[in-house]
Amino acid sequence: MTKELSLEERFQQYVDAENKVEPKDWMPEKYRKTLIRQISQHAHSEVVGMLPEANWITRAPSLRRKVALLAKVQDEAGHGLYLYSAAETLGADRQALVKDLLDGKAKYSSIFNYPTPTWADIGAIGWLVDGAAIANQVMLCRTSYGPYARAMVRICKEESFHQRQGYEILLTLVRGTEAQKKMAQDSLNRWWWPSLMMFGPTDDHSPNSAQSMKWKIKRKSNDELREEFIDKTVPQAEFLGLTIPDPKLKWNEERGHYDHSEIDWEEFYDVISGKGKCNKQRMDARNKAHAEGKWVREAANVYARKQAEHSKQSAA
Amino acid sequence: MSEENKDNWMIWEVFIRSRNGLSHKHVGSIHAPDAQMAIKNARDVYTRRSEGISIWVVESEAITASSPDEKEPLFTPADDKVYRHPTFYDIPDEVGHI
């Protein structure tokens, strides 16, 4: 006798066979909710992520650096839009998602609550923050939800320049004066640990991970991704002649990976809960930008309405 | 609800022709109050790296899609009709390319 499979079991089989789930396919409600939460948080991170870097657009040291930074920040706005669109295919309402961010109800990557006091920070963000984001996003190119996976493919294609421009900035600084090299080292000191925290809590403290892995939303665990990132990044730091701020960092021949010190998770949870240096500043900036764009949105609506009326009249 | 929320911008599906000779391909969606602005927004969001030479936008609501539940009745009948493919027919090699 063959057992009648429940919808959820059939869904799991479908996903296990590496099939992509598309917008109108049946999916468990929790799968939908998990995805809306994850994709919208991802979108918010892209949008808020523009702020620390935008800080330096007007003060970029050369025109070459300035056009690159402008293009990068513009990409991030675009990435936010791809992701909001992907969330909408699941039935989420764009304005409701944006409102949650502006009201401080939605989360975004805690890394963007750190300040960017020096030009070297723009280099460190591109190299480390975008580097960590890319590691996560390359994995998400194979996520089980079709629209999310496709948005990720597009984003990954565009992001590789982000990381290269960041590394190039640091490379230029370390080949410069003693003061410039010091500036580069200082920014690595400040961005290293927060970058490692970007992958989220350790696997044993990440309660939703198991289900996300089972549904193939996530394809690698937080710790796996973090380890990959460290292994890839340490030689890049060595090439720059910079020191990673971790006295316990050491290649482990047996494991084939680097060992490192414990991450300060207290700091991570503090920043998430609003106690980071820039949480308030970021939210204020988002709200200000949204309020100041109101007249543009209204004008666009009025214009669209008038155009529609004109075409109706000329047709009559 | 504010005045602005009553005028929620419509969603448009965006199709881009990457170069001459190829057909337009779906790339994603965009929000805009009308078709002209949808094209402008799509240009900014989807063609920042010379991805296209032509854009189509279609209001998402105007698209009627087949239901995933109908997948079987709609598409499986074609699966066993191997005689619709050229490889079904035996032609001796000596005949050459047909």
Side-chain angles (χ1 to χ4, degrees):
Chain A
M1 220 177 77
T2 53
K3 190 176 148 247
E4 187 80 8
L5 289 178
S6 72
L7 279 171
E8 296 218 7
E9 285 166 326
R10 263 206 288 176
F11 179 81
Q12 188 61 52
Q13 279 189 353
Y14 183 79
V15 167
D16 285 341
E18 293 295 335
N19 290 302
K20 293 275 182 251
V21 181
E22 293 297 337
K24 289 189 171 171
D25 293 345
W26 185 89
M27 60 187 87
E29 213 30 51
K30 198 162 166 250
Y31 177 86
R32 183 188 301 277
K33 281 206 178 120
T34 303
L35 273 170
I36 291 178
R37 198 192 61 226
Q38 181 173 332
I39 298 173
S40 61
Q41 282 179 8
H42 197 159
H44 300 328
S45 301
E46 296 283 355
V47 170
V48 178
M50 290 192 277
L51 298 170
E53 291 177 292
N55 189 27
W56 279 93
I57 290 176
T58 56
R59 290 174 288 156
S62 70
L63 188 57
R64 184 176 186 275
R65 295 290 185 219
K66 188 171 180 149
V67 291
L69 188 56
L70 259 174
K72 178 180 191 293
V73 171
Q74 193 187 11
D75 273 352
E76 276 146 17
H79 296 173
L81 294 176
Y82 302 155
L83 287 160
Y84 284 127
S85 296
E88 280 173 323
T89 64
L90 291 157
D93 177 72
R94 167 97 52 120
Q95 284 189 317
L97 297 178
V98 171
K99 191 168 182 300
D100 279 350
L101 173 67
L102 296 176
D103 291 349
K105 279 190 222 152
K107 281 189 187 141
Y108 55 88
S109 182
S110 63
I111 192 93
F112 302 119
N113 292 316
Y114 289 84
T116 46
T118 75
W119 170 249
D121 293 337
I122 301 308
I125 288 182
W127 173 38
L128 300 173
V129 177
D130 286 80
I134 289 169
N136 186 42
Q137 291 173 159
V138 164
M139 162 194 83
L140 288 172
C141 289
R142 295 190 299 120
T143 191
S144 58
Y145 187 58
Y148 193 22
R150 292 192 284 275
M152 282 300 119
V153 170
R154 186 177 283 277
I155 287 175
C156 285
K157 232 187 255 172
E158 298 184 349
E159 288 239 331
S160 62
F161 114 72
H162 296 184
Q163 200 186 10
R164 288 171 67 104
Q165 69 92 36
Y167 195 76
E168 196 196 77
I169 288 172
L170 290 178
L171 201 53
T172 308
L173 287 175
V174 298
R175 288 171 176 169
T177 64
E178 211 35 55
Q180 285 173 314
K181 193 172 174 188
K182 227 168 136 183
M183 189 194 276
Q185 180 63 55
D186 166 67
S187 74
L188 172 58
N189 293 349
R190 283 180 291 109
W191 290 95
W192 176 252
W193 290 106
S195 299
L196 296 191
M197 293 174 199
M198 280 178 74
F199 296 98
T202 52
D203 294 347
D204 47 345
H205 287 94
S206 181
N208 301 321
S209 275
Q211 183 62 67
S212 283
M213 297 275 277
K214 195 167 169 232
W215 277 332
K216 298 192 190 289
I217 294 174
K218 275 174 81 119
R219 312 297 305 244
K220 287 176 183 172
S221 78
N222 295 354
D223 288 333
E224 265 179 277
L225 284 168
R226 188 165 16 241
E227 189 157 70
E228 261 177 33
F229 174 76
I230 294 171
D231 291 350
K232 212 160 82 184
T233 309
V234 173
Q236 294 167 357
E238 282 166 1
F239 186 84
L240 290 170
L242 297 178
T243 310
I244 287 178
D246 180 357
K248 286 192 190 155
L249 189 81
K250 197 170 169 254
W251 179 252
N252 183 326
E253 194 67 56
E254 212 172 297
R255 290 197 315 124
H257 297 289
Y258 281 92
D259 290 335
H260 58 87
S261 309
E262 189 66 35
I263 290 169
D264 180 4
W265 292 111
E266 209 173 309
E267 175 180 326
F268 174 73
Y269 290 111
D270 272 356
V271 177
I272 284 188
S273 67
K275 289 182 219 150
K277 280 195 180 141
C278 300
N279 296 56
K280 186 175 179 307
Q281 199 181 326
R282 301 295 183 235
M283 276 302 96
D284 288 350
R286 268 325 303 154
N287 276 288
K288 183 165 174 270
H290 193 75
E292 287 177 353
K294 190 165 188 274
W295 73 269
V296 180
R297 296 189 294 275
E298 285 172 354
N301 281 333
V302 174
Y303 179 79
R305 218 157 28 227
K306 281 190 178 164
Q307 289 297 109
E309 278 163 22
H310 280 316
S311 61
K312 228 186 281 168
Q313 273 168 10
S314 56
Chain B
M1 281 275 152
S2 67
E3 182 64 27
E4 195 183 308
N5 283 346
K6 272 190 280 175
D7 286 311
N8 202 351
W9 287 6
M10 293 167 277
I11 305 179
W12 304 77
E13 297 303 321
V14 181
F15 298 81
I16 290 180
R17 183 201 297 284
S18 56
R19 57 189 169 84
N20 253 335
L22 295 181
S23 49
H24 286 75
K25 198 177 159 211
H26 183 243
V27 293
S29 55
I30 199 87
H31 279 235
D34 70 10
Q36 283 313 311
M37 278 186 261
I39 287 193
K40 289 197 177 81
N41 289 350
R43 175 254 185 205
D44 285 345
V45 175
Y46 292 104
T47 65
R48 286 195 302 283
R49 288 177 176 78
S50 322
E51 285 94 338
I53 53 161
S54 163
I55 301 174
W56 286 352
V57 291
V58 181
E59 233 182 290
S60 302
E61 279 188 5
I63 293 179
T64 308
S66 65
S67 155
D69 304 334
E70 293 175 318
K71 225 187 282 179
E72 292 244 327
L74 284 181
F75 306 114
T76 49
D79 290 350
D80 58 2
K81 295 179 176 57
V82 284
Y83 47 86
R84 286 177 176 168
H85 297 278
T87 45
F88 180 72
Y89 301 92
D90 294 324
I91 306 285
D93 288 349
E94 299 89 287
V95 181
H97 183 72
I98 287 195

